[in-house]
Amino acid sequence: MSSNTNTQAFQPVGKALPREIIKWIQGLDLSYSVKDPRRDLSNGFLIAEIFSRYYPGRVQMHSFDNSQKDERRQNNYKQLELFFKKNDIVVPNHKGFAEILDNDWNALYNFLVSIYSFLTQRKVINPPLASYVNSKEFATSTQNTQTFLLKEKGIEKLQEEQKQEDQFQKEQLSEKHAPLSVSSKRTNFMRVPSKPISQNLENLNYQIEVKNISYRPVQGSLLKLKEEQQQQEKQQEKLNSNNDRQIQDSFQKTPMDENKREATSTREKQLDKSIYDILNEALSQRQQFPQFVQTVQFKQNATALQSFIDLIDIYPDDFVNGFFQELITQKEAYINFIFKDTNEVWKFFKFTFQCIQNLPVQRVHVCIDLVNQFGARSLQKDALKTRSLFLEFFLPEICILIKQSVFFEKKQLLIQMICSFQEPMFKYQVISTMKSNLSVEHFMQCLAVFSSFEQETSELWNEMKRYGYIYFSSSSTSLSSSALAILCNAAKANSQVKIDKHVMTLAKNRWWQNRCLCVILFSEMIRAVIKTPNYQNLIKSPQQGQKFFSIENDRIISDLKAQVNHFSKGIEIASLPIDSDILMTQSLIHIVDLLGDSKILLELFVKIILEVSQESRQWALFSQDQPDEYDFFIPSDKSFKFKLNINSQYVKQVSFSILLHLVELLNTQKLLNLPLGHFELLHWCFQNTDFKIQNMESCEQIAKVTKEYVYLGLSDPTILLYANDLAKQLLDLQFKAEVQIENHDKIFANSIRLALKAENDQVLNNIVEFIENLVAESGQSASDGLKNFIRSVYDELDQMNPSPLSNPKISKCFERVNDRPYQSPHPDVSDVQVQDEQQSDFQY
């Protein structure tokens, strides 16, 4: 949304805002009242809340803090700028918040005028007195005050005699009303301090005309009248409030003690309806829907509401979810109703907590979403009441639900629910209350979930990290897992984590979840090192002046690489041995973007890819970029959410480095045959590498090591497709990239012999098709290199005994490039009979 509304710049008079802006702010029902605009509005919190009224759901108020600290104020205005940019909001005359952050009242005043005009589409009229006070005439006017009289014709200067007469009349009037016991502040509440008015006032362009004045005489004291009015309002409020009917014992228990019950018993008798009565009616009406008449039955001798709570786990999903969605749809009406009485607020949330307790983890999401929305709206409605109720009554109830939950997924949803009742300054109290109501294990789990929602600049990080440092080496797997999760989230939020001395100790933990968390934590620590300016300028993309040797730069580079290798070694220790699919998945996901910065991680990646299943290998190498997804791998009491997807685009950037490492492995291992995993990775590397821009020596080494495995694969039906593509890649290397491959013709000829020896129709047809394509390509090539290669292969086949050319299919393939037809030394033999050989197929 954007606006072209033009607003002029105003000069404020003192600290006061225009009357229409004050009324506007008061009508928004903000969580904090504005008493001193210069102080209360300068930190950006209430400004964000103003925009949240006009853009509901788009302003995340939990990201703002009502604090006067410079860093919190800067964060608030930074969040506002992001909100403006995201929603295409253009506030007229807005040039940034720098002057407001410098406590410039004029800048804040004009910004408030601008957003008032922008949001309400109304203009602020600069009052005449303010225009005059800010004018040069006022600044140069004499200090001697003069008195003027407002008449129908205009303003006239009073003479000294008239002044004395007016003063006498005022004294007589004060004596006449002396018996009234009203303070001077009351009687003179409309007076304003006198202002010096210049004689040049008549030159101004406006006139004041009084057409009609009506008044009503006040009988008695103003104070007494106001007290009577307040009493009438209280009586009306009592008459309009609702009656609390008795239903179940569990619903009658409210947080009020017996003394408070006795004090409010008279008022409760006068109420007409309770929130439970309204919910009962809604459930009864819903049960009468045709689709629910047979499937939903209420208990005998029980209300519809009590039956719903007790049987919610067996009622159909569409009945339960539809009821909760109906409550969410009518959220405003329910909020207005329950906030008439504190007990009604408690009863409503007590009902939702009982539903959550009885719902299974798979179906609890809708009910928790209901509580989240009602909690956030309650804070907007009455923040003070909501906070006090939440701390004293709701939070202990939620803590009980957390302790009773078996599955961690449900615990995490409950902990997230607490966040909907939080405000930035309120979090310390929430954490303190949870600590007193929960065991250490459950408290640390809560902190682990809380930390995942904290902003980068949150003041809570030091407190949370303190608990993480205390328990990360605990003998309790649950405590250590929670502590590691807190440190992981801190590292993701760029909050400095100091664990350098404990990396190897943490990595040796054998509990699968701790190993996963160590991999995540160490990978985040590596990213933190890579993001530093020194790493970017000296290692990633060295500047022109820093490419030359420098002792200081060399020391910095050495230290940075040592840190990366230190954490990489920790990831390697935590990941191996690969005895868990979950651990393997997390290792691949979190190191994939670091392969270009750490040789240790690149070697670990290759090792994992070669050992995992084909399905996992395909997932790791060919997954596309997509939004992050999370899931609980093991839905137990000690399981956190972990990522599900990987971005393989990072791997393609280092495919040539992976290929070089794979070739080094093959050269060291001296395998007779390549397993399927090796062929898949080799094939993937060849597909994603541009050999034209690579070093010629490296390409020759790759071809030298892989050629025998590739052509041997042409006789294996399981890897036939991969071998075909790789053989074509090798031929392209020799004849297009001019890479020298020794004995290429002999190796290819021997692969044809082995294909015939396999006695497999698929293999035979494949090798025939491969040769035909090769011959056809040589006919289209302007170079004689490929033709000469095919002739050399033909000669090698001709010298073999028995020769594969005796097979009509093979010999026919070479007719187009061979001048002399093949003469079989055994014309009576139609097929080649190949005997077993003692030596290796690739011995020449």
Side-chain angles (χ1 to χ4, degrees):
M1 175 179 176
S2 63
S3 176
N4 297 325
T5 305
N6 294 324
T7 58
Q8 66 183 60
F10 295 128
Q11 292 296 325
V13 181
K15 296 183 179 180
L17 288 171
R19 183 180 179 84
E20 53 265 49
I21 294 184
I22 295 175
K23 283 186 175 181
W24 172 61
I25 292 176
Q26 290 174 346
L28 293 176
D29 191 22
L30 302 180
S31 57
Y32 296 92
S33 61
V34 179
K35 298 178 180 178
D36 182 355
R38 185 193 294 268
R39 180 197 64 203
D40 298 335
L41 295 170
S42 63
N43 63 2
F45 178 83
L46 291 181
I47 293 176
E49 193 169 4
I50 289 172
F51 276 94
S52 72
R53 297 294 191 270
Y54 290 87
Y55 297 86
R58 299 190 193 180
V59 181
Q60 306 297 326
M61 287 307 300
H62 63 269
S63 301
F64 295 86
D65 193 352
N66 192 16
S67 171
Q68 296 300 330
K69 293 185 178 179
D70 289 342
E71 57 180 338
R72 302 307 302 153
R73 295 173 70 232
Q74 290 175 3
N75 177 68
N76 288 346
Y77 284 111
K78 180 181 178 182
Q79 297 293 333
L80 273 176
E81 287 286 12
L82 293 175
F83 166 72
F84 290 165
K85 184 177 180 181
K86 183 177 180 181
N87 294 278
D88 297 328
I89 294 175
V90 180
V91 179
N93 299 331
H94 173 56
K95 300 179 181 179
F97 295 109
E99 294 181 349
I100 298 178
L101 286 170
D102 288 339
N103 296 315
D104 188 332
W105 167 238
N106 290 346
L108 178 59
Y109 181 94
N110 283 305
F111 179 69
L112 290 170
V113 171
S114 297
I115 65 172
Y116 170 79
S117 301
F118 172 73
L119 295 174
T120 65
Q121 299 299 314
R122 287 179 281 181
K123 293 183 178 181
V124 177
I125 301 176
N126 205 16
L129 183 60
S131 301
Y132 173 70
V133 168
N134 292 313
S135 67
K136 294 182 179 179
E137 297 174 0
F138 176 75
T140 59
S141 64
T142 176
Q143 296 298 321
N144 297 325
T145 60
Q146 296 180 356
T147 307
F148 290 82
L149 178 64
L150 180 62
K151 292 187 175 182
E152 292 183 359
K153 297 181 179 180
I155 299 177
E156 296 181 0
K157 183 177 179 181
L158 287 181
Q159 301 300 326
E160 190 65 29
E161 295 79 4
Q162 185 67 31
K163 291 183 185 179
Q164 294 176 1
E165 183 179 352
D166 290 345
Q167 183 66 26
F168 176 76
Q169 291 179 357
K170 289 180 181 179
E171 292 175 357
Q172 293 293 327
L173 185 63
S174 61
E175 292 177 1
K176 182 178 180 180
H177 295 282
L180 295 176
S181 58
V182 181
S183 67
S184 60
K185 290 185 178 180
R186 286 283 177 187
T187 57
N188 299 328
F189 73 99
M190 290 297 292
R191 291 184 182 177
V192 295
S194 60
K195 300 289 183 181
I197 302 179
S198 171
Q199 293 181 357
N200 297 327
L201 187 63
E202 58 189 14
N203 295 329
L204 297 179
N205 295 326
Y206 68 90
Q207 295 182 354
I208 300 175
E209 181 180 357
V210 180
K211 293 184 177 181
N212 186 22
I213 298 177
S214 61
Y215 66 94
R216 178 174 59 88
V218 178
Q219 301 295 331
S221 170
L222 291 176
L223 288 176
K224 291 182 179 180
L225 290 175
K226 189 165 185 178
E227 290 175 359
E228 291 175 0
Q229 184 180 0
Q230 291 176 350
Q231 290 178 0
Q232 291 176 359
E233 290 177 354
K234 290 181 180 179
Q235 291 176 0
Q236 186 66 28
E237 184 178 352
K238 291 179 180 180
L239 293 175
N240 293 335
S241 54
N242 303 294
N243 187 19
D244 181 13
R245 296 180 180 178
Q246 296 181 352
I247 46 177
Q248 297 284 336
D249 292 340
S250 60
F251 291 99
Q252 292 175 352
K253 295 179 180 179
T254 65
M256 305 181 68
D257 55 24
E258 293 300 323
N259 294 332
K260 292 182 180 179
R261 285 181 182 280
E262 294 175 1
T264 58
S265 59
T266 304
R267 178 174 56 84
E268 290 180 347
K269 291 178 181 178
Q270 299 174 356
L271 300 177
D272 296 324
K273 267 189 177 182
S274 163
I275 184 64
Y276 290 136
D277 297 327
I278 295 177
L279 295 175
N280 261 318
E281 293 174 3
L283 284 168
S284 299
Q285 292 175 4
R286 188 168 187 79
Q287 193 267 343
Q288 296 302 318
F289 290 176
Q291 64 268 34
F292 301 132
V293 172
Q294 299 297 329
T295 57
V296 177
Q297 298 295 329
F298 296 140
K299 296 167 62 177
Q300 294 183 354
N301 302 324
T303 63
L305 186 62
Q306 187 62 49
S307 301
F308 181 79
I309 293 173
D310 294 341
L311 304 177
I312 192 171
D313 57 331
I314 64 174
Y315 281 159
D317 284 349
D318 50 352
F319 179 77
V320 175
N321 295 345
F323 177 67
F324 288 141
Q325 288 296 340
E326 183 180 340
L327 295 182
I328 293 175
T329 304
Q330 303 178 22
K331 175 176 59 179
E332 287 299 323
Y334 278 97
I335 287 288
N336 292 333
F337 180 84
I338 64 177
F339 264 85
K340 292 179 180 179
D341 188 349
T342 302
N343 272 345
E344 297 300 312
V345 179
W346 162 253
K347 289 176 186 178
F348 178 80
F349 283 106
K350 178 69 174 178
F351 155 71
T352 59
F353 295 155
Q354 288 177 315
C355 292
I356 291 171
Q357 182 179 7
N358 295 334
L359 277 170
V361 64
Q362 298 84 0
R363 301 175 59 189
V364 77
H365 300 77
V366 179
C367 189
I368 289 182
D369 182 47
L370 168 71
V371 178
N372 290 340
Q373 295 203 35
F374 270 75
R377 184 64 187 93
S378 298
L379 280 175
Q380 296 176 355
K381 179 73 175 178
D382 191 335
L384 184 61
K385 179 188 289 187
T386 303
R387 282 199 301 267
S388 59
L389 279 174
F390 178 78
L391 275 180
E392 189 174 357
F393 306 119
F394 298 166
L395 188 54
E397 286 287 329
I398 298 176
C399 290
I400 293 174
L401 292 177
I402 291 173
K403 289 188 287 188
Q404 293 175 346
S405 300
V406 176
F407 299 111
F408 190 85
E409 182 176 1
K410 191 170 184 177
K411 291 182 182 180
Q412 181 160 339
L413 292 172
L414 290 169
I415 297 167
Q416 291 176 7
M417 188 172 69
I418 297 175
C419 297
S420 64
F421 289 91
Q422 286 192 39
E423 291 178 316
M425 297 180 63
F426 188 45
K427 292 181 180 179
Y428 285 103
Q429 296 171 282
V430 172
I431 291 176
S432 176
T433 304
M434 287 194 304
K435 187 176 180 181
S436 60
N437 284 274
L438 293 171
S439 64
V440 177
E441 180 178 339
H442 289 107
F443 173 68
M444 288 297 292
Q445 289 177 347
C446 289
L447 282 188
V449 177
F450 273 149
S451 62
S452 63
F453 293 95
E454 285 304 301
Q455 300 293 323
E456 181 177 336
T457 57
S458 173
E459 298 176 356
L460 284 174
W461 277 124
N462 290 334
E463 182 72 9
M464 291 185 175
K465 287 190 295 184
R466 184 172 68 84
Y467 286 106
Y469 293 140
I470 293 174
Y471 293 109
F472 73 82
S473 58
S474 171
S475 57
S476 168
T477 54
S478 178
L479 286 176
S480 57
S481 296
S482 299
L484 286 171
I486 293 171
L487 296 179
C488 285
N489 293 326
K492 290 177 183 178
N494 296 325
S495 180
Q496 189 176 8
V497 178
K498 299 179 181 179
I499 55 164
D500 299 26
K501 298 180 181 179
H502 307 281
V503 169
M504 297 307 164
T505 303
L506 292 172
K508 293 177 182 178
N509 192 307
R510 291 297 92 190
W511 171 241
W512 73 268
Q513 184 155 285
N514 285 12
R515 293 168 67 186
C516 288
L517 291 170
C518 282
V519 169
I520 299 172
L521 176 59
F522 299 157
S523 65
E524 291 296 335
M525 299 299 290
I526 294 175
R527 291 184 186 93
V529 175
I530 293 174
K531 290 178 182 177
T532 58
N534 282 337
Y535 193 97
Q536 292 293 323
N537 296 333
L538 297 177
I539 300 177
K540 270 290 192 187
S541 52
Q543 300 176 7
Q544 185 66 30
Q546 295 172 334
K547 291 182 179 179
F548 302 101
F549 177 77
S550 165
I551 296 178
E552 179 63 20
N553 288 346
D554 189 56
R555 182 190 64 79
I556 294 174
I557 292 172
S558 178
D559 290 344
L560 292 173
K561 289 184 176 180
Q563 292 181 49
V564 171
N565 290 335
H566 183 56
F567 291 117
S568 300
K569 195 65 180 177
I571 294 176
E572 183 182 36
I573 294 173
S575 300
L576 300 176
I578 306 172
D579 51 7
S580 167
D581 289 339
I582 304 173
L583 179 60
M584 174 273 300
T585 301
Q586 295 309 299
S587 297
L588 292 177
I589 288 174
H590 290 281
I591 69 174
V592 68
D593 60 322
L594 304 174
L595 302 181
D597 298 284
S598 172
K599 186 178 180 180
I600 296 174
L601 296 182
L602 187 139
E603 293 174 355
L604 174 64
F605 180 85
V606 173
K607 183 176 181 63
I608 295 176
I609 289 294
L610 294 178
E611 295 186 14
V612 297
S613 63
Q614 184 180 14
E615 181 182 1
S616 299
R617 192 179 305 112
Q618 294 288 328
W619 164 80
L621 296 177
F622 299 102
S623 293
Q624 299 299 317
D625 186 15
Q626 53 189 334
D628 288 340
E629 296 182 13
Y630 295 83
D631 197 8
F632 294 86
F633 282 99
I634 297 180
S636 69
D637 194 38
K638 300 176 182 178
S639 176
F640 291 102
K641 268 187 176 180
F642 292 100
K643 275 190 178 183
L644 289 175
N645 55 331
I646 186 173
N647 184 2
S648 301
Q649 298 300 319
Y650 293 114
V651 193
K652 293 182 180 179
Q653 300 172 9
V654 291
S655 57
F656 187 69
S657 300
I658 293 175
L659 179 57
L660 289 176
H661 178 65
L662 180 60
V663 168
E664 185 180 345
L665 281 178
L666 297 177
N667 199 31
T668 304
Q669 295 173 351
K670 302 292 184 183
L671 299 174
L672 293 178
N673 297 289
L674 281 189
L676 177 61
H678 289 66
F679 252 105
E680 286 184 340
L681 183 58
L682 188 64
H683 178 256
W684 180 89
C685 290
F686 266 82
Q687 277 189 328
N688 293 282
T689 298
D690 186 1
F691 289 97
K692 295 179 181 179
I693 62 174
Q694 305 300 337
N695 180 273
M696 182 65 71
E697 185 179 350
S698 299
C699 294
E700 290 178 354
Q701 177 66 16
I702 291 170
K704 178 181 178 181
V705 175
T706 59
K707 60 185 178 182
E708 296 183 0
Y709 294 114
V710 169
Y711 286 111
L712 183 61
L714 291 174
S715 59
D716 187 346
T718 60
I719 55 177
L720 204 57
L721 295 178
Y722 295 121
N724 260 353
D725 288 343
L726 288 170
K728 292 176 183 178
Q729 290 275 1
L730 289 176
L731 290 170
D732 287 343
L733 280 178
Q734 180 170 355
F735 298 109
K736 293 182 180 180
E738 299 182 355
V739 175
Q740 298 299 321
I741 304 178
E742 297 180 0
N743 298 323
H744 200 175
D745 51 354
K746 294 182 179 180
I747 297 174
F748 182 48
N750 204 48
S751 68
I752 298 174
R753 182 175 66 84
L754 292 174
L756 293 174
K757 179 181 175 182
E759 297 183 356
N760 184 292
D761 291 340
Q762 181 184 1
V763 172
L764 178 60
N765 293 334
N766 177 75
I767 197 69
V768 169
E769 183 181 359
F770 187 89
I771 297 172
E772 288 176 347
N773 292 335
L774 192 62
V775 172
E777 186 179 349
S778 68
Q780 299 174 359
S781 175
S783 173
D784 293 333
L786 186 56
K787 293 179 181 179
N788 295 334
F789 170 78
I790 295 175
R791 291 191 181 99
S792 299
V793 172
Y794 180 89
D795 293 339
E796 291 293 332
L797 293 173
D798 193 18
Q799 294 176 12
M800 293 180 181
N801 187 19
S803 173
L805 293 173
S806 60
N807 186 300
K809 292 183 178 181
I810 300 296
S811 59
K812 187 177 179 180
C813 294
F814 287 93
E815 289 180 355
R816 292 175 55 184
V817 292
N818 188 48
D819 297 334
R820 53 186 175 82
Y822 172 71
Q823 299 294 332
S824 175
H826 307 285
D828 57 327
V829 180
S830 59
D831 297 324
V832 178
Q833 303 294 329
V834 183
Q835 302 176 358
D836 294 336
E837 300 179 1
Q838 300 296 327
Q839 59 184 2
S840 172
D841 291 324
F842 285 90
Q843 296 289 330
Y844 305 106

